Amino acid sequence: MPTLFGTPLRRKEDPRLITGHATYTDDIRLPGMLYAAILRSPHAHARIRSVDASEAVRAPGVVRVYTGRDLEGRLGPIPTAWLVPDADLKTPPHPALASERVRYAGDGVAMVVAESRAAARDALERIRVDYEPLPAVVDAEKAMEPGAPLVHEEVPGNLVLHWRAGNGAEAAERAIAQAEVVVRRRLRNQRLIPTAMEPRAAVAQYNPATGELTLWLTSQNPHIHRVLLSGALGVPEQKLRVVAPEVGGGFGSKIPFYPDEALVAFAARDLGRPVKWTEERSENCRATTHGRDHVQEVVLAGTRDGRITALRVRAVANLGAYLSTAAPGVPTILFGLITSGPYAIPHIDVEVFGVLTHTTPVEAYRGAGRPEATYLLERLVDLYAREIGMDPAELRRRNFIPAHRFPYETPTGLTYDSGNYERALEKALEALDYDGLRKEQEEARKRGRFLGIGLSSYVEICGLGPSKVAGAVGFQGGLWESAVVRVHPTGKVNVYIGSSPHGQGEETTFAQVVADELGVPVEDVEIVHGDTAQTPMGWGTYGSRTTPVGSGALALAARRVAEKARKIAAHMLEAAPEDLDFRDGAFQVRGVPERKATIQQVALQAYLAWNLPEGMEPALEASAFYDPSNFVYPFGTHVAVVEVEPATGQVKLLRYVAVDDPGRVINPLIVDGQVHGGVVQGIGQALWEGAVYDENGQLLTGSMMDYALPRAGFLPPIETYRTETPSPVNPLGVKGVGETGTIASTPAVVNAVMDALAPFGIDHLEMPLTPEKIWRAVREAEARKGGAAA
Amino acid sequence: MIPAAFDYARASSLEEALRLLREAGPEAKLLAGGQSLLPMMKLRLAEPPLLVDIGGLAELSGIRLEANELAIAALTPHAELAGSAQVAEAFPLLARAAAGIGDLQVRNLGTIGGNLVHADPGSDLPAVVLALEGRIVLRGPAGERVVPAEAFFLGPLTTAIEPGEILTEVRFPLLEGRTGTAYVKHPHPASGYAVVGVAAVARLAPDGRVEEARLGVTGVGLHAYRARAAEAALRGRRPDASAIEEAVAHATDGVEVNGDLYASEEFRAHLCRHHMAQALREAVAAAA
Amino acid sequence: MEVTVRLTVNGQPAEGSAEPRTLLVHFLRDTLGLTGTHVGCDTSQCGACTVLLDGRAVKSCTLLAVQAEGRAVTTVEGLAALLPPEARVEGLHPLQAAFWEKHGLQCGFCTPGMLMTAADLLSRKPDPSEAEIREGLEGNLCRCTGYQNIVAAVRLAAERLRAAGAAAVGGEAALAAGAAAQGGAP
């Protein structure tokens, strides 16, 4: 049977998207709909003396103004839902609107509901808030110092979590003390603004007669949103429907449960009219979660001949002013457990301090913890290589976990499922002509041109994950996935999945899988997702989990359908089920090809139910709930080639080679697309992006005028290659590919720039590598050289 | 995202626009392409009570070649400047600078007049207008007056234009002799504005010495300026590496250099010297 | 104060009442119900709101609806209809077809703006180089694709348009663009 698995089909989702016929949340218009706008604190830290909305309430078109006081006892606090154990975790309350104190510039203070967008916006200016500004702290290390302003009274020292991982701090300490070579470095993994192109939005509609509330929301996980909203709002789950219609990117920023959607839902119920709220971009910069923001002290120990013996990491993670939904798990579980990367490192010691500051809350952002871990490791590996004078490719080769040692248990307690790390590295070097390029680099240096080659090898923990592990690490939910495969009487198929893709293309890849399993044309399969009223429970799309976990449920459900169809076909053909071959969408009696029943004929009989096997239920559908036995661990090696112009500090990307192993590939077109986008987001962190606050907590990069995103003209073509090492974890042998590019590319680019700057004796600069930073470092290096000569 | 409410009037003639402005008082604003004004209004950094839309005035459109100058009408969009053979022929640096303003969409609507009147400190065209010694034609209640470029730019978002006046065109004297031009820019990676932009015009004597160098600089100071000291340092010299190096040492003389998150004062001054040297080399090469 | 705005949208006369401050993008989306045009920022950076005004790409978030009075606006919903049926691919504008084929979109939010900008780009430069395409799309941000397949799609569309002898922006919009280039309204 011709298989669709592995075929670069163009996407099923695209016709609506390229013609303007898709429906994003802000596209929804309902009769009688009102518009909301949220007044946000201009101060990073202030006491609210009073809020006077009387003038705003009288403004034309204004229906209602809500302040924090109006919500007391009526709208619950915004919960944190990843309660990492053994971390002394504190979860200070997060009211939907601040009534006593604002804790970051962007904290909500009031919400206006009006007859039009413009009226709501205008009324914001008529609300008088009397603030008493208080000292703010934006830097996490400063926030830990004695006497620092407290973000929440109930969190002394602003320390909200303290967590450790590894196989023994003392053993690691001993290994470091005894090591031939020790490389130490302090690294900053700067704060980023996720910047999904679609700002967040919410539309809520309440039916007072039935008590049913529907919320359309820019969500990566509508089922989680429903559970959390039900709790905060007190609407029972069976009366609550959350719909994630078309969602314009999320990258982690549409995971959290925000005050804003709770307010919109609250207002719709309170006023009995539909309410829409759409974030403006400058609001998105301040009030949608940020990512990263670590300071890391890293020590890597090893031998003179390039064997890593120990790694110690002490990280301070800035979590912002409130603990967002999944925030505690990001700098701990998703970061600390993967710090050994693709290397066999005997001793690991990780210590993480999670700190509150007067800044926008920090959450998962594409890669979530894994980029922070990969960056420190790949930076230190390069520094180590430079220290002992070894080629960075060779150093990586020497330390990789060898292919025969899988499944491999790491010192942090993970079990890597499958891998062949060296093969991916060799493929990258070959694609690049690494040796040739090194010669070219040497030649160029003689002519005063500074080329750099940067490697980054990674392994990613994704496909989250076994639910019992979720429970063990304090995730307040399961991490299984679901699918219902429903074959209709005409043989057409709907598949209802619990996860919620928003650009990743699973409407296509999942249709490919189902079409293969059932032998139907891929055009006959529609994947339905994102609506809690239609789909079975699922845990959402993040952590590169939808394909590895969701496809497990999908394959199981489809196979159950195929099994039932076989029994019906056998009954129709008066043969034993085991005597049937299933090919080209039909069951055939083995050896009698003219005796056959197509899946469509079987489907019709299943619904007519005139003559089913004894005891068989009618219809043709099955559901499956798939809880994986392990995470999956994609891996690869990426290489960036850059040229640095010392006189201006400009970095030019010359080439970018990505070799990724995402397990078996369902649709190579989509996999390449995920890699391209991921790589470019990671390059953005290396070279351009960075959220910056001034010392008073004002965001200086609060618009697209200031926060530099990658543009088409900044980038070379990404050269993508693959190896395929199937995962033994799930039925299809797939791993995730949504985040690999972002995880790998940031250190590849930084390593390349540092390689280019090696002749100046520069071995590390903090991201983003802006022209000024490079220019200054070069100038200082030359001054040192000049000074030494004099 | 939503501007504060305002009244709107579409002028059907320049005279009507002048009258509407006069009647409305100094808070009213002209709307041409809107590419500078509307973004300010969307963020409510500008809240004019009245917009007088002159976007449709044919009398403010077009590029006209005269005996010794090129007159570019106020409503000429950047895309037209960038694509005009006439402009490319007479002032290649103007075409090049215009092609680098904003992006395709902004260039389709943004106009030379609106750009100059807005006078963003990082805007490209002021540097070019300075280097070309453009003369800015203003029409007001009292008639027409012509302001030399150097007297036009006074500060960030501040020009010599008086309330009630309308910029109608910019006249550029045609270049004579062995003259070359260049425009070199270091764009901000997010906004696209010039962190540093240098427009250079170099006229060489038959023996290859610099007869005249004119340097317009944007992005560096509170407003675009002529780097007079650098120009003077080049006059009469052979434009070799050392002469250029000595000249650009004066690139920011007397200027309070901007510093921001992307580029400190020190780095910006360095970039200014660096790009000025490059612009001079290019202009000299084009002249030779 | 509300005014009546009359214009041509996707070849059809359209009319609606709007405050002078109403941006064209809100007029298209809220008044005319054409929600294919998106709003991605508030500083005229992202290009998600790009439409054709008299055949030229403009950011409809940086244009008042009243400024479009009497002019021709094309949104993504009307893109394919700019071309004669024989120049379309499966009923789509070759740009749309190429974005589909080359996987030039993921979440799709930036896509309408990308398509409209690319249409203007190809109408000016029927055979652009890769660098010219990347440069031409500088006013459009995409956070999903890394731009690579967008660039590939624009190249493919350019080839097909040249092979078909068609202009990227045809019909009335092309006539209007020509008129504008002749020194009409800016």
Side-chain angles (χ1 to χ4, degrees):
Chain A
M1 178 169 101
T3 171
L4 293 161
F5 201 107
T7 306
L9 288 192
R10 60 184 186 176
R11 297 198 317 173
K12 290 171 74 76
E13 19 304 68
D14 289 0
R16 64 180 189 263
L17 297 168
I18 55 180
T19 55
H21 291 105
T23 303
Y24 296 84
T25 302
D26 188 58
D27 299 341
I28 293 167
R29 280 194 305 165
L30 300 171
M33 191 166 78
L34 300 169
Y35 296 81
I38 294 171
L39 182 70
R40 300 189 179 277
S41 167
H43 301 287
H45 190 197
R47 199 171 68 81
I48 299 174
R49 289 204 194 95
S50 64
V51 181
D52 176 5
S54 55
E55 197 193 326
V57 170
R58 289 194 301 269
V62 170
V63 174
R64 186 81 158 85
V65 179
Y66 296 99
T67 67
R69 297 265 175 249
D70 300 326
L71 306 178
E72 278 165 19
R74 302 175 70 197
L75 181 61
I78 304 305
T80 302
W82 195 338
L83 307 178
V84 175
D86 305 320
D88 197 15
L89 181 73
K90 302 188 178 57
T91 54
H94 184 185
L97 289 173
S99 52
E100 290 167 6
R101 190 182 284 249
V102 287
R103 295 183 168 86
Y104 70 99
D107 212 350
V109 175
M111 181 170 79
V112 174
V113 184
E115 299 286 348
S116 71
R117 276 180 216 270
R121 172 65 187 81
D122 289 349
L124 292 183
E125 291 174 6
R126 300 184 178 210
I127 301 173
R128 306 267 168 262
V129 185
D130 185 8
Y131 294 103
E132 176 190 339
L134 298 170
V137 62
V138 299
D139 178 274
E141 287 177 307
K142 285 189 182 144
M144 294 171 76
E145 288 170 5
L150 290 184
V151 182
H152 294 267
E153 298 291 343
E154 50 276 71
V155 184
N158 294 313
L159 187 64
V160 80
L161 70 84
H162 179 207
W163 178 89
R164 294 195 85 132
N167 57 349
E170 283 173 26
E173 192 54 51
R174 259 198 314 281
I176 291 165
Q178 292 164 0
E180 293 171 8
V181 183
V182 177
V183 186
R184 295 168 194 274
R185 198 56 58 143
R186 179 185 160 86
L187 306 172
R188 186 174 282 276
N189 205 291
Q190 83 272 30
R191 179 182 283 243
L192 302 176
I193 304 179
T195 323
M197 290 312 302
E198 179 204 27
R200 286 187 297 124
V203 176
Q205 183 177 38
Y206 181 70
N207 183 329
T210 62
E212 284 169 343
L213 192 142
T214 302
L215 177 71
W216 290 266
L217 182 66
T218 50
S219 169
Q220 296 179 225
N221 27 249
H223 287 280
I224 292 182
H225 272 115
R226 181 169 68 154
V227 172
L228 297 179
L229 182 64
S230 168
L233 202 59
V235 172
E237 238 183 309
Q238 87 279 11
K239 300 280 192 188
L240 190 54
R241 174 182 173 201
V242 176
V243 185
E246 214 72 66
V247 176
F251 313 112
S253 72
K254 291 172 183 170
I255 295 173
F257 178 51
Y258 288 91
D260 314 312
E261 53 255 26
L263 289 166
V264 169
F266 175 85
R269 185 180 59 177
D270 192 47
L271 301 171
R273 286 174 68 180
V275 177
K276 180 197 281 190
W277 167 79
T278 304
E279 179 181 64
E280 300 194 352
R281 178 59 61 185
S282 51
E283 195 176 9
N284 172 277
C285 291
R286 287 168 185 83
T288 290
T289 53
H290 293 174
R292 316 274 192 264
D293 206 344
H294 282 202
V295 176
Q296 304 158 339
E297 303 275 356
V298 191
V299 182
L300 183 85
T303 63
R304 280 266 149 232
D305 66 351
R307 308 254 166 215
I308 303 170
T309 54
L311 175 72
R312 190 175 67 200
V313 178
R314 179 186 179 278
V316 175
N318 188 338
L319 295 171
Y322 300 98
L323 272 186
S324 180
T325 312
V330 176
T332 53
I333 309 305
L334 296 177
F335 165 74
L337 298 185
I338 197 81
T339 45
S340 60
Y343 308 115
I345 302 178
H347 299 286
I348 303 237
D349 176 29
V350 181
E351 183 173 21
V352 178
F353 299 89
V355 181
L356 297 178
T357 60
H358 294 105
T359 60
T360 299
V362 175
E363 249 283 358
Y365 167 58
R366 201 170 191 170
R370 293 148 287 171
E372 295 92 309
T374 306
Y375 179 72
L376 72 87
L377 186 61
E378 288 305 284
R379 269 293 36 236
L380 269 282
V381 163
D382 257 34
L383 289 165
Y384 176 33
R386 199 185 281 200
E387 176 80 24
I388 63 173
M390 184 175 286
D391 184 280
E394 176 56 25
L395 183 65
R396 285 177 171 79
R397 213 178 264 131
R398 285 191 188 191
N399 288 282
F400 278 151
I401 297 157
H404 65 267
R405 287 185 62 188
F406 291 89
Y408 174 86
E409 194 159 325
T410 73
T412 54
L414 300 175
T415 304
Y416 291 172
D417 58 343
S418 61
N420 189 334
Y421 302 156
E422 188 166 350
R423 186 167 65 178
L425 171 73
E426 300 305 340
K427 192 158 188 168
L429 298 181
E430 189 192 319
L432 201 67
D433 181 20
Y434 184 68
D435 295 337
L437 208 55
R438 283 285 178 205
K439 287 197 194 79
E440 195 183 321
Q441 177 184 37
E442 204 176 311
E443 289 301 314
R445 277 179 186 166
K446 287 179 195 156
R447 298 191 311 272
R449 284 184 57 203
F450 298 91
L451 303 187
I453 305 163
L455 278 73
S456 166
S457 296
Y458 72 93
V459 59
E460 183 200 350
I461 176 173
C462 73
L464 315 175
S467 298
K468 64 172 190 272
V469 176
V473 300
F475 185 85
Q476 301 297 294
L479 281 171
W480 44 266
E481 275 310 325
S482 61
V484 174
V485 174
R486 180 172 300 154
V487 185
H488 299 295
T490 54
K492 312 292 181 188
V493 185
N494 272 126
V495 180
Y496 304 85
I497 59 171
S499 58
S500 193
H502 42 280
Q504 297 88 346
E506 274 94 354
E507 287 179 34
T508 305
T509 48
F510 280 9
Q512 288 176 252
V513 170
V514 170
D516 271 352
E517 296 286 346
L518 299 183
V520 297
V522 71
E523 299 75 34
D524 288 1
V525 184
E526 289 300 327
I527 309 292
V528 180
H529 59 82
D531 182 348
T532 61
Q534 291 192 67
T535 64
M537 180 70 190
W539 295 92
T541 291
Y542 45 81
S544 299
R545 64 187 303 277
T546 295
T547 295
V549 185
S551 77
L554 189 76
L556 292 180
R559 285 169 195 179
R560 282 174 193 161
V561 168
E563 239 0 81
K564 181 171 182 180
R566 174 182 292 270
K567 287 182 189 148
I568 297 170
H571 187 70
M572 287 163 67
L573 298 168
E574 297 175 341
E578 57 274 16
D579 290 340
L580 299 184
D581 288 332
F582 185 47
R583 71 167 67 95
D584 299 336
F587 294 94
Q588 302 178 359
V589 179
R590 198 166 301 126
V592 199
E594 65 279 10
R595 280 181 64 202
K596 64 178 183 182
T598 66
I599 187 84
Q600 292 79 8
Q601 290 166 332
V602 172
L604 183 59
Q605 291 309 316
Y607 280 89
L608 293 175
W610 294 338
N611 183 14
L612 291 177
E614 194 59 35
M616 179 177 279
E617 293 175 7
L620 190 56
E621 74 171 73
S623 61
F625 297 85
Y626 170 72
D627 199 347
S629 60
N630 189 3
F631 302 99
V632 292
Y633 295 88
F635 59 89
T637 291
H638 288 206
V639 192
V641 184
V642 303
E643 177 166 2
V644 178
E645 189 184 50
T648 59
Q650 286 278 21
V651 174
K652 187 172 183 210
L653 279 161
L654 302 177
R655 281 184 72 187
Y656 195 96
V657 169
V659 178
D660 294 282
D661 191 319
R664 292 184 68 211
V665 170
I666 302 171
N667 185 324
L669 191 65
I670 289 175
V671 166
D672 278 346
Q674 289 295 309
V675 172
H676 296 158
V679 163
V680 167
Q681 260 176 332
I683 294 173
Q685 174 169 22
L687 295 181
W688 305 295
E689 297 182 38
V692 181
Y693 286 94
D694 72 10
E695 57 189 19
N696 300 317
Q698 292 300 320
L699 182 63
L700 301 178
T701 53
S703 82
M704 285 183 173
M705 294 282 282
D706 316 289
Y707 187 85
L709 295 161
R711 287 172 192 267
F714 298 180
L715 300 158
I718 311 299
E719 304 164 43
T720 53
Y721 301 88
R722 269 192 296 281
T723 60
E724 284 196 24
T725 308
S727 172
V729 171
N730 54 60
L732 300 177
V734 295
K735 299 183 178 184
V737 75
E739 296 165 292
T740 59
T742 312
I743 291 167
S745 66
T746 307
V749 172
V750 175
N751 284 346
V753 174
M754 294 312 129
D755 187 49
L757 295 173
F760 297 95
I762 297 165
D763 64 7
H764 182 71
L765 296 172
E766 301 290 12
M767 302 183 289
L769 298 172
T770 56
E772 177 158 7
K773 274 184 205 157
I774 291 171
W775 171 76
R776 277 189 186 283
V778 169
R779 203 174 55 149
E780 282 160 21
E782 291 192 318
R784 274 199 305 275
K785 223 192 299 177
Chain B
M1 185 74 198
I2 299 172
F6 54 83
D7 288 329
Y8 171 88
R10 184 180 292 119
S12 54
S13 69
L14 183 56
E15 285 313 317
E16 190 190 359
L18 286 165
R19 180 178 57 76
L20 287 166
L21 275 185
R22 195 168 59 239
E23 288 168 5
E27 299 299 310
K29 287 266 187 194
L30 286 179
L31 178 65
Q35 301 303 286
S36 301
L37 180 59
L38 291 177
M40 304 265 290
M41 292 174 61
K42 282 161 61 183
L43 297 174
R44 302 202 175 189
L45 299 172
E47 299 192 12
L50 169 70
L51 286 190
V52 176
D53 188 350
I54 56 169
L57 297 184
E59 56 198 295
L60 295 182
S61 299
I63 300 173
R64 218 168 59 247
L65 184 63
E66 303 196 337
N68 54 0
E69 63 182 16
L70 192 70
I72 298 178
L75 294 183
T76 306
H78 309 315
E80 196 179 331
L81 286 180
S84 153
Q86 233 168 8
V87 171
E89 165 76 23
F91 308 116
L93 83 172
L94 179 55
R96 179 161 174 189
I101 297 171
D103 48 54
L104 182 63
Q105 298 96 306
V106 168
R107 292 193 292 274
N108 279 338
L109 285 180
T111 65
I112 185 170
N115 181 288
L116 296 178
V117 168
H118 184 65
D120 189 287
S123 179
D124 301 284
L125 291 183
V128 176
V129 174
L130 282 163
L132 290 175
E133 296 191 332
R135 293 180 307 129
I136 290 156
V137 182
L138 304 174
R139 276 281 294 280
E144 188 172 285
R145 67 185 177 118
V146 178
V147 181
E150 211 171 352
F152 187 73
F153 303 104
L154 303 179
L157 313 185
T158 309
T159 68
I161 198 162
E162 297 287 341
E165 284 188 318
I166 296 176
L167 190 159
T168 55
E169 66 179 10
V170 188
R171 295 186 192 144
F172 294 98
L174 294 179
L175 301 171
E176 292 167 354
R178 282 177 67 193
T179 305
T181 71
Y183 182 69
V184 177
K185 173 185 183 180
H186 182 116
H188 188 281
S191 71
Y193 277 102
V195 175
V196 168
V198 181
V201 176
R203 192 173 77 240
L204 303 184
D207 65 356
R209 289 174 198 273
V210 176
E211 265 180 6
E212 187 189 23
R214 300 199 304 248
L215 295 162
V217 179
T218 190
V220 176
L222 293 175
H223 57 84
Y225 66 92
R226 280 281 289 274
R228 290 281 187 182
E231 294 174 5
L234 271 172
R235 202 167 302 132
R237 295 196 58 180
R238 290 196 180 282
D240 54 18
S242 66
I244 288 176
E245 196 179 329
E246 284 168 43
V248 304
H250 300 285
T252 60
D253 281 7
V255 174
E256 193 185 319
V257 177
N258 299 330
D260 59 23
L261 196 59
Y262 181 77
S264 67
E265 294 160 39
E266 194 186 8
F267 181 55
R268 205 179 229 99
H270 163 77
L271 282 179
C272 183
R273 293 188 291 273
H274 182 85
H275 290 313
M276 188 177 284
Q278 193 192 332
L280 279 168
R281 285 192 298 271
E282 286 181 21
V284 165
Chain C
M1 159 179 119
E2 296 223 335
V3 293
T4 300
V5 180
R6 290 182 194 82
L7 67 171
T8 303
V9 177
N10 298 329
Q12 301 295 319
E15 181 178 321
S17 174
E19 282 189 277
R21 62 167 159 172
T22 305
L23 302 170
L24 178 61
V25 68
H26 287 141
F27 185 76
L28 291 170
R29 290 175 54 79
D30 297 342
T31 307
L32 302 183
L34 291 168
T35 56
T37 304
H38 299 147
V39 179
C41 78
D42 48 13
T43 53
S44 312
Q45 298 290 313
C46 81
C49 66
T50 303
V51 300
L52 299 180
L53 179 71
D54 293 336
R56 291 297 180 214
V58 302
K59 292 179 176 173
S60 64
C61 77
T62 313
L63 189 74
L64 303 172
V66 287
Q67 285 179 283
E69 169 83 28
R71 303 177 72 174
V73 172
T74 309
T75 68
V76 68
E77 291 93 339
L79 180 59
L82 284 178
L83 299 185
E86 62 276 12
R88 298 178 204 159
V89 179
E90 296 179 75
L92 299 166
H93 191 285
L95 274 164
Q96 292 169 314
F99 269 63
W100 189 9
E101 217 167 304
K102 291 288 180 185
H103 188 29
L105 62 149
Q106 289 177 26
C107 83
F109 195 78
C110 77
T111 310
M114 284 283 177
L115 289 165
M116 304 317 281
T117 304
D120 186 357
L121 178 68
L122 292 186
S123 77
R124 291 165 190 274
K125 280 198 171 89
D127 187 12
S129 67
E130 164 146 359
E132 284 170 333
I133 295 170
R134 286 181 181 270
E135 193 62 26
L137 297 175
E138 69 188 320
N140 293 73
L141 289 168
C142 169
R143 195 59 159 162
C144 293
T145 63
Y147 303 99
Q148 185 146 330
N149 290 341
I150 292 176
V151 174
V154 175
R155 293 193 83 153
L156 175 63
E159 275 170 36
R160 290 210 177 126
L161 282 162
R162 290 199 310 277
V169 177
E172 281 177 36
L175 294 176
Q182 296 299 311

